[in-house]
Amino acid sequence: MWLIQLYGIESEKIKRKYEKHFNINGYVIYISSSLKTNHDTFLTENHSFCYFGNLEYGRDKSLLEVSESLYKVNKNYLLEIYSKDIDKFNGKKIPPNIVLHKQISYENVLKEMKKCFCLVIAEGTKNKNVEMTKYSLSTKVSDYLSIGKPIL
């Protein structure tokens, strides 16, 4: 059996857990895109809040709550959701300010991020969801930070 001795993870806390459990050393790594910062974020008429990623662990429910809050603040605020899991919304009442998009390529994700007014990170809030995601960090965070737009 092969044991992979070099692996990358996203936080110091989970690194320690992996090292203890597997009795190997690892490194914390963060992958960032090559997007250039956009300092004109607030000068746009676009008010699209965009989420990119899966809808597991209660993220779908959290995004519904976000869209409802956005709609209360400004009926023109849209929440655009790009995901391979958009079928999780089938049979649910979708607020009028949600726009669902199927999964797109990473290259197109980067293009769409540039168009958004604000980027959204969502996590489920139920105990079982928090327990599953408490040591992880969305892989999109480094892309979100590098683009220089607001993050909700």
Side-chain angles (χ1 to χ4, degrees), residues 8-117:
I9 53 175
E10 300 170 342
S11 75
E12 285 292 333
K13 195 168 191 175
I14 200 163
K15 173 187 178 276
R16 290 189 298 274
K17 283 188 164 283
Y18 280 14
E19 287 178 338
K20 183 178 178 183
H21 182 78
F22 296 111
N23 196 29
I24 58 175
N25 292 323
Y27 302 92
V28 176
I29 61 169
Y30 299 94
I31 301 170
S32 180
S33 68
S34 60
L35 292 173
K36 303 294 182 218
T37 301
N38 176 3
H39 297 287
D40 298 328
T41 298
F42 295 102
L43 302 177
T44 179
E45 293 295 319
N46 174 17
H47 293 294
S48 289
F49 291 71
C50 301
Y51 173 82
F52 299 86
N54 74 59
L55 300 174
E56 298 299 321
Y57 307 114
R59 292 178 183 117
D60 56 327
K61 292 175 182 63
S62 293
L63 288 167
L64 286 172
E65 291 177 21
V66 167
S67 74
E68 290 169 5
S69 296
L70 289 173
Y71 193 74
K72 287 178 185 174
V73 172
N74 185 329
K75 292 184 180 7
N76 293 318
Y77 286 169
L78 294 177
L79 176 58
E80 298 196 46
I81 300 172
Y82 294 81
S83 180
K84 64 180 175 61
D85 304 316
I86 58 172
D87 59 333
K88 281 192 162 264
F89 290 110
N90 290 348
K92 294 182 181 174
K93 184 180 178 195
I94 305 299
N97 65 327
I98 285 185
V99 179
L100 299 174
H101 302 275
K102 292 182 180 178
Q103 183 179 20
I104 57 177
S105 70
Y106 181 70
E107 180 180 296
N108 285 330
V109 164
L110 299 178
K111 288 178 185 175
E112 292 302 318
M113 281 183 184
K114 289 180 182 180
K115 297 177 188 176
C116 297
F117 168 70

Side-chain angles (χ1 to χ4, degrees), residues 53 130 146:
V130 171
S146 70

